[in-house]
Amino acid sequence: MLNKEQIAQRIARELRNGMYVNLGIGIPTLVANYVPEEMTIVLQSENGLLGMGPFPFEGEEDADLINAGKQTITTIPGSVFFDSAMSFGMIRAGKVDLTVLGAMEVADNGDIANWKIPGKMVKGMGGAMDLVASAKNIIVAMQHCSRDGKSKLLSSCTLPITGLGCVKKVVSDLGVFDIDHRGFVLLERAPGISVETIVASTEGRLFVPDEVPEMTF
Amino acid sequence: MNKVVSNAQAAIFDVQDGMTLMLGGFGLCGIPENLIAALVQKKVKNLTCISNNAGVDDFGIGLMLQQRQVKKMISSYVGENAEFERQLLSGELEVELIPQGTLATRCMAAGYGMPAVFTPAGVGTEVAEGKETRVFNGKTYLMEMAFEADFALVKAWKGDTQGNLIFRATARNFNPLMAMAGKTTIAEVEELVPAGELDPDAIHTPGIYVHRIFQGNDYEKRIEQRTVKPR
């Protein structure tokens, strides 16, 4: 089973040189730690920054310089600031190449639910609905099953929807999946995880090719 | 033309109970601290507040929530505030959650004189309930209306006596959009300079959108998530 760091590490393998990438809060944020040295990736933070740098050194925090998770960050050479309308404008216009975000549930048609659990305190969707409705390429980082063992890769989402038919790829703790007309297409298994385990853990339609390689780290 | 007022209290003299206010900022970054303090002091109530977030328990809009001055919040994310949660669950506070890009764009539309915009955000979700949709090139979009706000309260880094504004780093966020969208826009700035001192090419918000301006003081600029790396 992949831990959070490994999920992030596996997603980082989808990065290509020169991509503009928006990373959501949680596991997606960790992807930034695994960008290959030789690669230039420009991170977009939807509160109004392209070219997000690492956390500042202690004592150099700037209250005016935060990311969408409200963490203090830094700029890098080539960084640029803009307002929130332009930020979502570039997202809506498809200029951001890749969006990585977490999910509570994903359906085999690409629907995603990640903003609300009815009956619990609802904090809001933030930028998630804008991102999923417009991003060209969305990869979801998530746990395959809930704590009580229920599949979160479903035939249809049970929680309130964030966006319809938008997820292209899922990296869970059990494997890597594309989503197309066949449903979840199993591409890779986590180390030590069998195809049978993945079949048993996936409620949505699952297509299993003849060869399913095991991931290596 | 004199847009310069002495302080926040003077700037909000005609803000009244039941009005709709826009407040700039993302989290606690770039919020109009002085104007919020003046609203708390003035004790205006039954306000509808359009702001991306609702502050934290003891800062930002959270201070207004403590005094029960807010009737309704229109925000995209409100997760950092226990008093907010209490008022919401007890029914004292009404909240309308909308996608962050939609919030920004509805401000922008108001400032650009457009009654509505079309966005794909929220299609197929509960955000779409009761809203008109249209299909363009095979994709469905929601019609979202421009906001109407009695006042926009914004915070800029520098401003001049003409009301021209320059923002700093990610404290820009919703501020220039809301500045364009208020029927009356009030800007508080860290540094107020005479007209002519700001480079016209560097100004983010033209003063035509700004009706009142003053230099704020005692900026706390509280940090919500202080993240650092070792030296």
Side-chain angles (χ1 to χ4, degrees):
Chain A
M1 220 185 277
L2 302 187
N3 61 31
K4 289 178 181 180
E5 292 287 342
Q6 287 171 316
I7 292 175
Q9 206 174 340
R10 176 58 192 82
I11 290 172
R13 293 179 192 165
E14 304 294 321
L15 301 173
R16 299 292 174 266
N17 195 36
M19 272 187 169
Y20 291 100
V21 180
N22 181 291
L23 300 177
I25 293 163
I27 298 174
T29 306
L30 302 174
V31 174
N33 300 335
Y34 298 102
V35 179
E37 278 286 318
E38 66 283 1
M39 205 179 270
T40 303
I41 298 293
V42 181
L43 296 178
Q44 201 250 17
S45 190
E46 66 265 25
N47 58 319
L49 167 63
L50 265 173
M52 178 163 58
F55 295 150
F57 289 119
E58 193 165 0
E60 293 178 5
E61 309 93 304
D62 180 347
D64 288 340
L65 183 47
I66 63 169
N67 64 17
K70 288 142 191 158
Q71 298 170 310
T72 46
I73 45 149
T74 55
T75 53
I76 53 173
S79 289
V80 56
F81 300 114
F82 35 83
D83 66 53
S84 301
M86 184 176 281
S87 184
F88 285 95
M90 63 184 70
I91 289 165
R92 214 178 287 117
K95 307 296 180 185
V96 176
D97 299 299
L98 175 65
T99 293
V100 183
L101 73 179
M104 299 169 187
E105 294 177 348
V106 172
D108 59 25
N109 63 354
D111 291 356
I112 179 171
N114 73 348
W115 79 282
K116 182 176 183 179
I117 302 174
K120 292 203 177 175
M121 173 58 189
V122 177
K123 294 186 170 190
M125 67 290 284
M129 283 190 183
D130 307 273
L131 282 158
V132 300
S134 299
K136 277 189 294 192
N137 190 9
I138 298 175
I139 301 179
V140 165
M142 65 189 294
Q143 303 300 324
H144 205 100
C145 295
S146 62
R147 276 192 207 95
D148 53 357
K150 288 205 187 93
S151 179
K152 296 167 101 178
L153 277 65
L154 302 169
S155 48
S156 69
C157 293
T158 64
L159 293 170
I161 293 288
T162 309
L164 297 175
C166 47
V167 178
K168 303 286 197 295
K169 193 182 277 284
V170 173
V171 178
S172 80
D173 48 342
L174 299 186
V176 179
F177 308 83
D178 270 351
I179 294 178
D180 66 19
H181 63 280
R182 295 168 291 184
F184 297 106
V185 179
L186 178 58
L187 300 180
E188 294 172 31
R189 298 175 287 125
I193 298 294
S194 67
V195 168
E196 290 70 32
T197 300
I198 293 170
V199 170
S201 305
T202 307
E203 191 267 337
R205 279 183 305 142
L206 178 68
F207 179 83
V208 183
D210 295 337
E211 287 288 310
V212 184
E214 188 175 278
M215 273 176 250
T216 51
F217 287 93
Chain B
M1 173 172 31
N2 182 24
K3 297 185 176 185
V4 178
V5 294
S6 54
N7 56 35
Q9 284 77 16
I12 61 156
F13 75 95
D14 52 351
V15 174
Q16 288 158 10
D17 291 354
M19 283 185 162
T20 297
L21 312 182
M22 288 176 164
L23 296 103
F26 181 94
L28 300 178
C29 180
I31 59 171
E33 292 183 20
N34 283 246
L35 287 163
I36 290 171
L39 288 168
V40 170
Q41 198 180 24
K42 189 176 164 77
K43 297 186 170 66
V44 278
K45 55 184 192 299
N46 289 323
L47 300 172
T48 295
C49 292
I50 301 168
S51 182
N52 189 55
N53 312 91
V56 295
D57 275 325
D58 59 346
F59 203 55
I61 293 174
L63 297 170
M64 294 163 64
L65 290 165
Q66 271 182 15
Q67 303 300 320
R68 316 252 175 113
Q69 293 175 277
V70 183
K71 179 185 69 178
K72 181 177 180 182
M73 281 299 312
I74 301 174
S75 304
S76 86
Y77 191 83
V78 293
E80 328 292 347
N81 193 321
E83 174 62 15
F84 182 97
E85 186 172 343
R86 192 198 64 71
Q87 290 186 22
L88 182 61
L89 295 174
S90 71
E92 293 164 63
L93 178 70
E94 192 184 340
V95 62
E96 183 181 343
L97 293 168
I98 62 176
Q100 192 176 140
T102 300
L103 179 64
T105 309
R106 290 175 67 186
C107 296
M108 188 198 76
Y112 277 63
M114 301 185 294
V117 290
F118 288 92
T119 175
V123 169
T125 76
E126 58 192 62
V127 166
E129 284 166 20
K131 286 179 186 157
E132 198 174 327
T133 60
R134 267 190 77 171
V135 176
F136 297 97
N137 298 321
K139 184 166 176 168
T140 305
Y141 293 78
L142 295 185
M143 187 168 80
E144 295 280 5
M145 307 304 289
F147 278 126
E148 288 184 35
D150 299 298
F151 285 89
L153 310 180
V154 304
K155 151 76 175 38
W157 180 39
K158 291 182 180 179
D160 71 16
T161 49
Q162 290 282 341
N164 297 309
L165 304 176
I166 295 177
F167 303 91
R168 182 172 175 275
T170 55
R172 190 183 316 184
N173 57 63
F174 289 86
N175 281 300
L177 304 163
M178 292 180 171
M180 295 196 304
K183 285 195 194 91
T184 299
T185 291
I186 306 173
E188 61 173 88
V189 300
E190 289 180 51
E191 189 184 355
L192 182 62
V193 299
E197 286 201 10
L198 300 179
D199 174 0
D201 266 333
I203 291 166
H204 297 128
T205 296
I208 191 168
Y209 287 113
V210 177
H211 304 89
R212 299 171 199 164
I213 189 167
F214 66 95
Q215 184 169 303
N217 50 39
D218 299 328
Y219 281 104
E220 186 175 337
K221 291 198 181 185
R222 198 182 291 188
I223 291 174
E224 268 181 85
Q225 305 283 340
R226 188 178 299 273
T227 45
V228 296
K229 64 178 179 185
R231 284 190 190 267

